[in-house]
Amino acid sequence: MRMTEEEFRNETAYSVTMTQVKKMLEMGFITIEEYWKINAKMKSKYHPVSDGLISEIDLICVQNRA
C-alpha cells in the first residue's frame, strides 16, 4: 500500500509528536491518563494511517504486564 504525500506528512507528524509525549511520560511530566488523552487528540488531528499502533505497542504491552 502506498501513502499519499499528505498521509505521509500526517503519519510523520503524529509519530514525532507522540515520541515527544512518550518522553514526557517517561520523565514523569505527565500521567498515563494524560498520555492517552493527548494520543486521542493527536489521532483526531492527524488521522495516522497506522492508527498509532506502532507508537503504542510498547505502552500496551507494559499496561498488560502491570
Side-chain angles (χ1 to χ4, degrees):
M1 177 181 140
R2 291 194 108 137
M3 280 193 240
T4 66
E5 191 172 322
E6 181 180 3
E7 288 171 331
F8 180 78
R9 277 193 305 251
N10 286 344
E11 188 73 30
T12 302
Y14 171 79
S15 296
V16 169
T17 301
M18 291 313 297
T19 297
Q20 295 305 311
V21 173
K22 192 184 304 182
K23 289 249 187 232
M24 292 170 61
L25 175 64
E26 291 167 357
M27 296 176 79
F29 296 142
I30 62 172
T31 66
I32 191 71
E33 291 82 14
E34 291 169 318
Y35 172 89
W36 289 116
K37 285 180 185 177
I38 295 167
N39 185 39
K41 286 182 181 181
M42 293 302 106
K43 278 185 180 181
S44 176
K45 179 177 181 176
Y46 294 115
H47 306 287
V49 174
S50 70
D51 196 36
L53 294 175
I54 296 169
S55 63
E56 295 172 4
I57 192 68
D58 59 336
L59 287 175
I60 293 169
C61 292
V62 167
Q63 284 183 327
N64 288 339
R65 282 186 262 151

